[in-house]
Amino acid sequence: MLKLHDFCNRARSLTEAIDTTTAAGRMMMQMVGGFAEFERAMIRERTSAGLAQARAEGRIGGRRPKLGDKQRREIAESVTSGRKSGAEMARLYGVSEPTVSRIVAAHRQQFSQQQREQA
């Protein structure tokens, strides 16, 4: 099996005059690799800076929530009271059943936390 080290020692470019079997060719490949690594690091830095700037301006990334607070509350109350099933509420609001389960779980956790605070 040909290893990466062996490949770099034997590679020849068909379109450019880079021959890694020579010392000059190996140096050229290392320089090209260094520039590629540098460019990737610069892209990562610019992306991080842009995201930080957007957050500082109050913008957040990601998809907008499909359900509002009122809808989430209605789903949680309907399922916990037994008026509707999770599947029915999922179909009604056009979301998945796991989404309904997460909403109900968060509601229950919030409710139990309020109970502990009142005690």
Side-chain angles (χ1 to χ4, degrees):
M1 180 173 183
L2 188 64
K3 295 180 181 174
L4 181 60
H5 176 69
D6 295 332
F7 174 77
C8 289
N9 287 336
R10 296 184 188 147
R12 287 195 181 106
S13 174
L14 299 175
T15 55
E16 290 86 20
I18 300 173
D19 180 3
T20 60
T21 60
T22 66
R26 284 191 298 276
M27 181 190 71
M28 187 63 164
M29 285 296 285
Q30 289 176 348
M31 288 175 58
V32 168
F35 285 125
E37 190 175 332
F38 171 74
E39 181 58 28
R40 183 68 192 117
M42 293 301 295
I43 290 169
R44 192 176 305 121
E45 267 183 39
R46 288 191 297 263
T47 301
S48 294
L51 288 171
Q53 180 66 33
R55 279 189 215 100
E57 293 172 2
R59 292 182 301 204
I60 55 171
R63 181 177 174 174
R64 287 195 174 99
K66 191 169 187 176
L67 301 171
D69 289 337
K70 182 179 176 186
Q71 293 170 318
R72 288 174 170 274
R73 204 169 25 258
E74 185 177 332
I75 288 172
E77 289 170 2
S78 295
V79 173
T80 54
S81 69
R83 288 191 310 254
K84 299 254 187 199
S85 70
E88 289 173 319
M89 294 307 288
R91 279 193 301 277
L92 182 66
Y93 283 99
V95 295
S96 68
E97 288 184 47
T99 298
V100 171
S101 295
R102 283 191 296 274
I103 291 169
V104 171
H107 177 76
R108 286 182 177 147
Q109 185 178 17
Q110 185 180 18
F111 181 74
S112 66
Q113 185 178 6
Q114 287 173 352
Q115 293 289 62
R116 283 191 299 261
E117 288 174 0
Q118 290 176 355

